[in-house]
Amino acid sequence: IGDSYSVYRPETEGIEGWAVPLRRILGLSNDDCVILSSNGGGFIASGSLGTFQNAVANASVSHKETITKIVVCAGINDFNNTTEQIKTAISNFVSYCKTNYPKAKVYLGMISWDDDEQYTIDNQYSRYKLLNIVLPAYQEAQEYGAIYLNGVENASYKSDGDKVMSFDYNSKEWID
């Protein structure tokens, strides 16, 4: 589950997002994996699939009892909220998942961008908010009964106006 950074669009923009490479790294087929990419979405922000909880609630999954992993990587669309608001929304999401997908572990990763080429005041302020408002809420994953994916914060970055996604490391080491 993710925001626009998870969207698969190689034909139009040359971008895979993070979700498809992660599926490959984990050795999953299309039948073994449901990818929910909500442009503009977040735990609070309502994107193309609503909030992440809306996306999961409305997903067409007939075998909920067999789902063992729910991976959510996002962050930027919720950065205009407070840490407490984000924590509450994450907690509600994890509770929903644990109720409706009883065998699933929930993994949270805060993936955002790092604009090396264009460090404007606005970009610096956005990065500040991500690191000081959003990241602390995600890092408290255990508090909600989830697992934090440490080290994915810069899995995507922006350079020369193009989004470049990278999920190169061995994700199997931290998603069991």
Side-chain angles (χ1 to χ4, degrees), residues 99-173:
T99 299
N100 291 280
Y101 298 87
K103 292 183 181 176
K105 291 182 181 180
V106 179
Y107 298 86
L108 303 178
M110 204 252 353
I111 289 184
S112 64
W113 51 263
D114 185 4
D115 191 337
D116 293 330
E117 298 296 319
Q118 302 185 20
Y119 260 137
T120 64
I121 295 298
D122 287 342
N123 287 345
Q124 288 176 3
Y125 184 59
S126 296
R127 189 71 176 160
Y128 172 84
K129 289 170 67 174
L130 281 166
L131 295 176
N132 292 285
I133 295 172
V134 178
L135 184 58
Y138 278 60
Q139 287 177 321
E140 293 188 26
Q142 285 183 314
E143 182 179 314
Y144 327 117
I147 300 161
Y148 181 67
L149 302 174
N150 194 32
V152 299
E153 294 83 9
N154 289 305
S156 62
Y157 64 91
K158 194 173 182 180
S159 179
D160 297 329
D162 294 321
K163 290 181 186 172
V164 179
M165 305 301 179
S166 169
F167 224 71
D168 298 337
Y169 36 85
N170 187 348
S171 302
K172 284 185 178 185
E173 290 179 10

Side-chain angles (χ1 to χ4, degrees), residues 2-4 6-7 36-42 45-52 55 77:
D3 55 19
S4 63
S6 67
V7 176
L36 301 172
S37 298
S38 183
N39 287 329
S46 186
S48 58
L49 299 178
T51 65
F52 292 153
N77 297 315

Side-chain angles (χ1 to χ4, degrees), residues 4-154:
S4 63
Y5 292 139
S6 67
V7 176
Y8 182 75
R9 51 187 184 268
E11 296 83 17
T12 57
E13 299 178 45
I15 296 172
E16 281 196 317
W18 62 263
V20 171
L22 177 62
R23 183 186 68 208
R24 276 195 307 267
I25 289 167
L26 294 175
L28 300 173
S29 70
N30 286 340
D31 294 334
D32 296 330
C33 181
V34 176
I35 296 175
L36 301 172
S37 298
S38 183
N39 287 329
F43 287 105
I44 298 171
S46 186
S48 58
L49 299 178
T51 65
F52 292 153
Q53 188 167 328
N54 296 140
V56 171
N58 295 325
S60 180
V61 178
S62 59
H63 52 285
K64 292 182 178 183
E65 69 284 349
T66 66
I67 302 294
T68 59
K69 297 172 185 68
I70 298 174
V71 179
V72 183
C73 290
I76 196 159
N77 297 315
D78 285 332
F79 82 153
N80 284 321
N81 297 284
T82 67
T83 301
E84 289 305 314
Q85 289 169 322
I86 298 167
K87 286 170 62 173
T88 298
I90 292 172
S91 178
N92 291 339
F93 173 86
V94 172
S95 292
Y96 178 86
C97 289
K98 288 190 172 291
T99 299
N100 291 280
Y101 298 87
K103 292 183 181 176
K105 291 182 181 180
V106 179
Y107 298 86
L108 303 178
M110 204 252 353
I111 289 184
S112 64
W113 51 263
D114 185 4
D115 191 337
D116 293 330
E117 298 296 319
Q118 302 185 20
Y119 260 137
T120 64
I121 295 298
D122 287 342
N123 287 345
Q124 288 176 3
Y125 184 59
S126 296
R127 189 71 176 160
Y128 172 84
K129 289 170 67 174
L130 281 166
L131 295 176
N132 292 285
I133 295 172
V134 178
L135 184 58
Y138 278 60
Q139 287 177 321
E140 293 188 26
Q142 285 183 314
E143 182 179 314
Y144 327 117
I147 300 161
Y148 181 67
L149 302 174
N150 194 32
V152 299
E153 294 83 9
N154 289 305

